[in-house]
Amino acid sequence: MVKRQELDSAGSKFTQVLDAAAKLPGVRINRASYLRVALKRHCTEEQIAQAIAESPAAAGIPLEIIKEVADTSIAYETSKATGASTLAGLPGGIALIGTVPADMAQYMGHMLRIAQKLAYIYSWPDLFADGGDEMDEATEGILTLFVGVMLGVQLAQGGVAKVSAMIAAQVVKKLPQQALTKGAIYPIVKKVAGLLGVAMTKKVFASGVAKFIPLLGALFSGGLTLATFLPMCKKLQGHLASLELTKPGHRRAEVPTVDADRVEEAADEHVHAAN
């Protein structure tokens, strides 16, 4: 059993890697630009405009198109991850990484890119809406959960599902700040970060990314990125596709308005009951 203090310390190390990766050039995806380019071959201008203003689901874009776009994005990002070029090698990259292992930050950067693309095509709001250089806590929290889903942390799946439900219920176009930073989802985020960080503390910071959990074993040494990165992307894709938020015709106007505080209080009660 991992002690609480060890989880907290490990979670801090994971957050350090996440923050460093998010600062690498090219990691942040512009939601509007991505949706416009990704949907232009499949949708009318009116649909694209509504997808950007609201969501692809609200625009009524069929699930088969959503899946095709997601598959295309996964294929593209997988090819980038398997290529010789590294985000860490771009101008300013190494300086931003600091004490974080360069290969780990680079790989995490690829994970964050595909996580954003999948989130946007599956009708999530802009994860970097503030446009600042630093990630806010809510964005950090949801990206932690997305990475957790990709790496098979079951607790992360529940956290993502709860956040998705809150976005729908609160009729908002942004992440639920309170829930992710000090409310119902925050304890889940901390636990997931700790679990991911424990593996990194024992493996990555000791001997580099090549020994970071079995899933990433031969990442940069055996040319097996295709066999590791692709399944992780598919895990996140499958989970996001299963959520009600992505269903065509799911329009915010059709969802009853629910008081945000009551939603979070109910979710808090559920989390405490589960513990």
Side-chain angles (χ1 to χ4, degrees):
M1 180 68 69
V2 181
K3 295 181 179 179
R4 174 67 178 273
Q5 186 176 3
E6 183 181 354
L7 274 178
D8 289 344
S9 176
S12 177
K13 287 184 171 63
F14 171 79
T15 299
Q16 183 184 15
V17 174
L18 190 73
D19 289 346
K23 290 178 180 177
L24 289 172
V27 167
R28 297 192 186 190
I29 304 297
N30 182 286
R31 177 180 175 274
S33 297
Y34 167 70
L35 289 177
R36 182 168 296 282
V37 171
L39 295 172
K40 66 180 181 180
R41 292 195 304 107
H42 307 279
C43 304
T44 65
E45 279 299 320
E46 291 75 16
Q47 283 180 307
I48 293 173
Q50 187 174 6
I52 293 171
E54 298 180 58
S55 70
I61 298 173
L63 283 176
E64 55 267 26
I65 290 179
I66 298 296
K67 184 179 185 302
E68 182 177 345
V69 170
D71 288 343
T72 299
S73 294
I74 288 173
Y76 175 80
E77 292 299 332
T78 299
S79 69
K80 295 287 286 185
T82 57
S85 62
T86 68
L87 290 172
L90 294 175
I94 294 297
L96 289 171
I97 292 173
T99 59
V100 175
D103 52 2
M104 187 66 239
Q106 175 222 336
Y107 194 78
M108 182 69 73
H110 287 299
M111 293 176 73
L112 296 186
R113 280 179 56 85
I114 190 58
Q116 291 170 82
K117 288 184 176 183
L118 291 177
Y120 297 152
I121 197 60
Y122 283 108
S123 295
W124 284 68
D126 198 335
L127 304 184
F128 289 96
D130 62 359
D133 292 334
E134 299 293 331
M135 278 195 298
D136 63 30
E137 289 184 75
T139 297
E140 184 180 284
I142 195 60
L143 288 177
T144 295
L145 295 179
F146 284 162
V147 171
V149 172
M150 295 177 79
L151 292 175
V153 179
Q154 191 169 3
L155 183 64
Q157 294 183 6
V160 170
K162 286 181 172 66
V163 175
S164 173
M166 288 181 179
I167 292 172
Q170 294 180 26
V171 200
V172 294
K173 296 182 181 180
K174 62 180 182 179
L175 295 172
Q177 298 283 325
Q178 182 177 341
L180 282 163
T181 59
K182 54 186 177 181
I185 312 300
Y186 182 64
I188 299 176
V189 172
K190 287 204 67 175
K191 182 70 177 292
V192 171
L195 292 173
L196 294 173
V198 165
M200 289 171 51
T201 300
K202 292 180 178 179
K203 303 295 183 181
V204 177
F205 287 87
S207 54
V209 73
K211 294 185 178 180
F212 174 47
I213 69 174
L215 184 63
L216 304 184
L219 180 59
F220 292 101
S221 57
L224 297 179
T225 304
L226 180 63
T228 58
F229 190 80
L230 185 60
M232 290 194 299
C233 295
K234 289 296 184 179
K235 283 182 182 178
L236 181 58
Q237 179 188 16
H239 187 56
L240 294 180
S242 72
L243 302 174
E244 192 65 28
L245 189 63
T246 195
K247 301 298 187 293
H250 177 83
R251 301 173 186 272
R252 294 183 175 88
E254 297 173 355
V255 181
T257 302
V258 179
D259 180 78
D261 291 333
R262 293 189 63 183
V263 170
E264 294 195 14
E265 286 173 7
D268 274 326
E269 291 175 3
H270 179 77
V271 171
H272 292 322
N275 293 335

